Amino acid sequence: MEQDHTPGEKKPGHPPAQSILHEVRTAENSAAHLLPKLQSMKESNPHLTLLDVGSGSGTISVTVAKLIPDGHVTGVDINANILPRARAVAETAGVKNIDFQQASVYKLPFADETFDVTFCHQVLIHIGTPWDALREMLRVTKRGGIVAAREGDYESECVWPELPELGKFHKLMAGLMSAGGGAPTAGRQLLSWALKAGVEPSQVTVSYSTSSYHTPSERKICSQGLCDQLRGGGLREKALKFGLGAEGDFEEMAKAWEEWAKRDDATLAMLHGEILVQK
Amino acid sequence: MEQDHTPGEKKPGHPPAQSILHEVRTAENSAAHLLPKLQSMKESNPHLTLLDVGSGSGTISVTVAKLIPDGHVTGVDINANILPRARAVAETAGVKNIDFQQASVYKLPFADETFDVTFCHQVLIHIGTPWDALREMLRVTKRGGIVAAREGDYESECVWPELPELGKFHKLMAGLMSAGGGAPTAGRQLLSWALKAGVEPSQVTVSYSTSSYHTPSERKICSQGLCDQLRGGGLREKALKFGLGAEGDFEEMAKAWEEWAKRDDATLAMLHGEILVQK
């Protein structure tokens, strides 16, 4: 879900500055738990249909679409302003078996049993009743199909070195997720949410993976993305709105991320929970 | 490192009760970051020598030895009482290209540049100056060889459901690691420790992986292992010694782990840091 898009920035050929961290996402680094299953489903049916819920800038949707060239991917996002960017990402990649439209995960504009695979990434962590979202995703999925989700567990975040301002940033981010109705511990709760959506334990396959930034170039991308959010993005606006920070705080945190990026010993890693639900 | 062996239990054919969680460890689930490199090294030299530092019950050492049948594995552990168990594990597996001996990671009884690969798993997390340990591991490694380490990051632990006694257990375990001179955030610090040992950033490859328990059988093993430690193992003894718990606390925590194991929605996951250092 594209949470941090600034409504003013609508140039479809250019990502919003703060989206740099979202646009490194691909099927390979963000949906690896789904890919073996997708491959085996494709072997028996090359014309797979896949719904990517909360597709944001579309980089995962587009790389999944490349993997099923005879199939079709539909991306939906609650934020209509991000759709032009997603379409531009698809066009730049030369991917044609894809379309994007505006929709809420709570009310998907599709008939029952429409898709072979329904997927979401970093969506359920932001919303109040993720089990309702999963139930809706199950509804639009064919019998014999798959619902797949991958959500970060923000409380597992590992940052080194332990600069005090980075600790404050962690609390700010967790506070923003909670204030928006989400759960910073989404990753560990995915199984419980699937069961709450009415799924039997035997239908769910759980796994965990990580994301991390530790090479100089990765640290630079990470720092730049976070600094952009702190200095002018939606994160700053939301933090001010919810009273979770004052003007001066954001610049201090941004400077700490810049210092972090320059340290040879700096790393950032997080655990992500994953589920595959067999309908 | 076999930290929790009870000195009284010395039957080599049987693991100490509390070692159940250590003995599920294999090369595949605990040294996956090393295996592609090991494979490529084996192709140019089938007679690889590997040192496993803190080999404990030997299950990783033995499964690595199987992967280099024309090579040789040496396992060392600070705890001489665990060596008969490690030898029994090797014998049961029919693995002969292996030997075990007592040694400290700070003073390995080997000449400079003896091994092609020097490996440790969940060792540095327990000790006071892990960079000295890495320097010693580098010393006994040949030029062109590899030092590999994998250490948990205990502060990344994700437990669901959030039973209060499990929160207390987490604090107890972190307190025990710190009281023993170790660092519960070892996983995220591995790169910094390697640099402190005198390694150049360009020599280090960092990665992260996870361990988890979420199927009914995994939950049962996990719960049983932790309950054994709480009800009679070295963990209980150490907690009492360091004043980190009272008699009644341990039984409450054990009951909580038993309750956790029965819950369909229960999961436990943790992030591990990994390094490969090219000497």
Side-chain angles (χ1 to χ4, degrees), chain B residues 15-262:
Chain B
Q18 63 271 36
S19 286
I20 187 169
L21 287 176
H22 292 162
E23 297 208 0
V24 297
R25 294 173 181 169
T26 64
E28 289 71 21
N29 66 29
S30 300
H33 68 300
L34 170 63
L35 299 190
K37 183 72 187 173
L38 195 69
Q39 181 62 30
S40 68
M41 290 173 81
K42 186 175 84 171
E43 280 163 18
S44 55
N45 173 20
H47 305 292
L48 288 177
T49 53
L50 184 145
L51 176 65
D52 183 9
V53 178
S55 49
S57 301
T59 53
I60 300 176
S61 332
V62 165
T63 45
V64 168
K66 280 185 182 174
L67 297 175
I68 48 169
D70 297 323
H72 189 86
V73 170
T74 301
V76 298
D77 203 283
I78 188 74
N79 179 359
N81 291 324
I82 198 67
L83 300 177
R85 175 63 192 157
R87 291 178 189 126
V89 166
E91 195 177 333
T92 303
V95 168
K96 298 193 187 304
N97 57 329
I98 197 163
D99 69 281
F100 293 97
Q101 55 183 286
Q102 198 268 342
S104 161
V105 65
Y106 289 128
K107 200 172 180 184
L108 296 168
F110 306 106
D112 294 357
E113 304 186 16
T114 299
F115 298 97
D116 295 293
V117 178
T118 306
F119 169 76
C120 71
H121 183 263
Q122 312 299 65
V123 170
L124 307 177
I125 195 170
H126 294 296
I127 64 176
T129 55
W131 44 91
D132 288 332
L134 283 169
R135 197 177 290 117
E136 179 69 351
M137 290 170 70
L138 282 158
R139 182 186 66 77
V140 302
T141 303
K142 293 179 189 171
R143 282 172 203 277
I146 291 284
V147 169
R150 183 176 188 256
E151 300 291 332
D153 197 292
Y154 192 64
E155 291 306 336
S156 75
E157 192 188 60
C158 298
V159 185
W160 191 264
E162 291 179 320
L163 306 175
E165 295 298 331
L166 302 187
K168 288 184 194 168
F169 179 81
H170 180 89
K171 283 182 189 158
L172 169 64
M173 290 293 283
L176 277 171
M177 283 177 208
S178 299
T185 55
R188 74 192 71 179
Q189 294 191 64
L190 270 181
L191 169 59
S192 72
W193 292 344
L195 300 182
K196 217 167 167 177
V199 166
E200 292 295 319
S202 62
Q203 293 174 263
V204 190
T205 304
V206 176
S207 55
Y208 293 93
S209 62
T210 64
S211 62
S212 62
Y213 301 89
H214 44 77
T215 67
S217 63
E218 287 167 352
R219 285 197 293 262
K220 192 175 168 188
I221 286 174
C222 179
S223 169
Q224 191 183 327
L226 296 175
C227 286
D228 287 348
Q229 290 191 37
L230 283 161
R231 287 180 172 135
L235 186 155
R236 178 196 182 84
E237 287 167 28
K238 279 185 207 159
L240 288 168
K241 179 182 154 195
F242 288 114
L244 291 168
E247 282 292 346
D249 299 340
F250 307 124
E251 183 56 26
E252 289 302 310
M253 292 179 200
K255 279 181 184 160
W257 279 115
E258 285 171 344
E259 182 188 341
W260 172 86
K262 288 176 195 157

Side-chain angles (χ1 to χ4, degrees), chain A residues 25 43 45 50 58 65 76 81 97 105 107 112 118-119 121 130 171 173 183 194 208 231 234 243 254 262 272-273:
Chain A
R25 294 173 179 168
E43 280 164 17
N45 172 21
L50 183 144
V76 298
N81 290 325
N97 58 329
V105 66
K107 198 171 181 186
D112 294 356
T118 306
F119 168 76
H121 182 262
K171 283 182 189 157
M173 290 293 283
Y208 293 92
R231 289 182 171 136
K262 288 176 195 157
H272 297 256

Side-chain angles (χ1 to χ4, degrees), chain A residues 127-166:
Chain A
I127 64 176
T129 55
W131 44 90
D132 288 332
L134 284 168
R135 197 179 288 115
E136 180 68 352
M137 290 169 71
L138 283 159
R139 182 186 66 76
V140 302
T141 304
K142 293 178 188 170
R143 283 171 203 278
I146 291 284
V147 169
R150 182 174 189 257
E151 300 290 334
D153 197 292
Y154 192 64
E155 291 305 336
S156 75
E157 191 188 60
C158 298
V159 185
W160 191 264
E162 292 179 320
L163 307 176
E165 296 298 331
L166 302 187

